[in-house]
Amino acid sequence: MLRHVIAPSSGWTKASHAVVRDRRMNSDAKILLLYVQGLPESATGRPLGELARKLEMKGRAYQQAKKQLIEHGYVHEWRGQGDGGRWVTEQLFTNTPLTRDEARAVRARLSPEAAGPTRAERLSAPPPSAQSPTVGEPTPPSAGGYVPEEEHVDENTPHPPSEAEPEPKPDPEPEPDPKPGPEPETGHRPTPAQEPGTEATLPPRHPSPQLTRAERVLLSLRHTRRELLLGAGEARALAVEAAKWLERGLTESELRHALLAEPPKGGVHSAYGFLGHRLTHKCPVATAPVAPPEPPPPPVRALITCTSEAEEDHVFRPLGDETECADCRRATAYASWMVDTDTYDFPPDMTWRQRFVAVAKADALRGKPA
């Protein structure tokens, strides 16, 4: 290795070989050590972390470099609590490794008042001011099961803000009293139309054909089993679920059979609840749409004789209205290219029949008068 070194005449920092060649410290620790060593005396009042940020050394990299400098005796820290109750940390930096006792002796020599407040304490903000004690003697907490009363802010407010008076609304027109309906029978659960605050799922005003058919099937169940008697409102509400069965390909007779099959042993206590449960939980799965049939293949044409000027007659099966086979059509196109370029070069994939026909057609084209 060749080396060309020129000693700087100014702006340099002395670095010992022990620091530069130390394998126990990484490059960040060495750069931070040399950077702090070359700083002027006016910059020594700043903490080591602030000086490291000037080198873009932050986070994990700074913590690792500081840890190595502390382990090898280049940085020492003392943390203590001053008279004002504030915790301060004082750092000692040296370019030669020192033990803890040696560092304490250097600190005492550089700061004679080390036994008292540290330099960091003197540079920090003044301690918080003392507060006067509360007047009176401390009183014990009151015992007993006293529960404080609920505070009403609105009542305690001396002058509550005035609110704008709402505009008087016009009196609504009196509604006619609804006719009293028949009370539900004992043991019969009221339908959604009978329960207060419950809205039944009703079909639209103009029902579809499926809804009409489904309602007709539901109303016809009472002719087979008297306990499945439904009112007009109940049948209209259940027709929405029953129409889904018809939309999935079932006929009216299949829907009627599914609703009447396997009656419960204890009988039906609510026709609306029994039929609604069966329509919801036993609805068949929608069948997948049938794919349209594939179109038939095109008819096979009969063999015809090629009309080109070939040496031998040959036949081919046309795909449309062409009268020459594919080889002859390619040879015709290539013959025109040969006449235009005046060349006899053939591609390697060209058959002997195509080459023969191409040469014959090219010569025929050249012999024609312009």
Side-chain angles (χ1 to χ4, degrees):
M1 178 184 67
L2 302 178
R3 186 175 64 171
H4 176 69
V5 179
I6 299 177
S9 58
S10 62
W12 49 272
T13 300
K14 289 184 179 181
S16 63
H17 291 171
V19 175
V20 178
R21 299 174 182 177
D22 194 348
R23 297 184 179 180
R24 298 172 299 174
M25 296 190 301
N26 58 13
S27 58
D28 291 338
K30 296 177 182 179
I31 293 174
L32 183 59
L33 177 61
L34 298 177
Y35 174 74
V36 178
Q37 179 183 343
L39 290 176
E41 188 66 22
S42 60
T44 57
R46 300 178 182 178
L48 186 62
E50 182 178 348
L51 299 176
R53 282 194 294 270
K54 294 183 176 298
L55 298 176
E56 299 296 334
M57 190 181 303
K58 305 176 184 178
R60 180 62 179 171
Y62 165 69
Q63 296 295 337
Q64 187 69 17
K66 179 182 176 182
K67 179 181 177 182
Q68 294 179 0
L69 292 176
I70 293 176
E71 289 178 353
H72 299 96
Y74 293 98
V75 175
H76 299 269
E77 290 183 342
W78 291 273
R79 182 175 175 82
Q81 191 174 12
D83 297 337
R86 297 179 182 274
W87 287 91
V88 293
T89 302
E90 189 172 10
Q91 296 176 332
L92 172 64
F93 173 83
T94 175
N95 62 346
T96 57
L98 300 177
T99 62
R100 191 65 176 175
D101 296 336
E102 295 174 347
R104 192 176 295 108
V106 173
R107 177 196 179 200
R109 185 175 67 253
L110 296 178
S111 179
E113 64 278 6
T118 61
R119 179 160 54 91
E121 290 178 349
R122 289 186 279 103
L123 296 176
S124 61
S129 60
Q131 297 181 358
S132 302
T134 306
V135 179
E137 298 294 334
T139 58
S142 59
Y146 173 75
V147 180
E149 295 183 0
E150 183 179 0
E151 183 179 3
H152 300 280
V153 180
D154 298 339
E155 297 178 1
N156 296 339
T157 304
H159 300 287
S162 59
E163 298 180 358
E165 297 183 358
E167 298 180 358
K169 298 181 179 180
D171 297 336
E173 298 180 0
E175 297 181 359
D177 296 335
K179 298 180 180 180
E183 298 181 356
E185 300 178 1
T186 305
H188 177 76
R189 190 182 66 178
T191 63
Q194 298 172 355
E195 293 181 359
T198 305
E199 296 182 359
T201 304
L202 299 178
R205 294 185 177 181
H206 303 284
S208 62
Q210 287 81 2
L211 285 174
T212 305
R213 294 165 52 199
E215 185 178 353
R216 184 170 59 250
V217 171
L218 293 173
L219 292 176
S220 66
L221 296 178
R222 68 177 184 269
H223 300 296
T224 306
R225 294 175 55 185
R226 185 66 182 173
E227 55 188 2
L228 297 182
L229 175 63
L230 293 174
E234 295 176 337
R236 192 176 299 109
L238 292 176
V240 178
E241 296 295 332
K244 298 179 182 179
W245 292 55
L246 301 178
E247 292 174 356
R248 298 181 180 183
L250 273 74
T251 61
E252 297 182 13
S253 60
E254 292 174 344
L255 174 60
R256 183 181 296 102
H257 176 75
L259 297 178
L260 296 175
E262 300 179 2
K265 296 181 180 179
V268 177
H269 300 283
S270 173
Y272 181 85
F274 169 74
L275 295 176
H277 181 274
R278 178 159 292 192
L279 288 172
T280 304
H281 294 275
K282 289 193 175 184
C283 185
V285 180
T287 58
V290 180
E294 297 182 359
V300 180
R301 294 176 177 266
L303 296 174
I304 62 175
T305 304
C306 182
T307 60
S308 64
E309 298 177 0
E311 183 179 359
E312 297 179 357
D313 294 338
H314 55 280
V315 296
F316 73 101
R317 194 181 303 279
L319 299 177
D321 298 335
E322 64 271 16
T323 58
E324 296 184 357
C325 63
D327 293 343
C328 295
R329 292 198 305 271
R330 183 182 181 188
T332 303
Y334 198 75
S336 301
W337 178 80
M338 291 171 60
V339 174
D340 296 339
T341 58
D342 195 14
T343 180
Y344 282 89
D345 295 334
F346 299 99
D349 59 337
M350 200 170 187
T351 62
W352 66 268
R353 183 191 300 275
Q354 294 174 350
R355 297 184 183 186
F356 175 79
V357 175
V359 171
K361 291 188 176 184
D363 293 342
L365 290 174
R366 288 191 182 96
K368 289 182 179 181

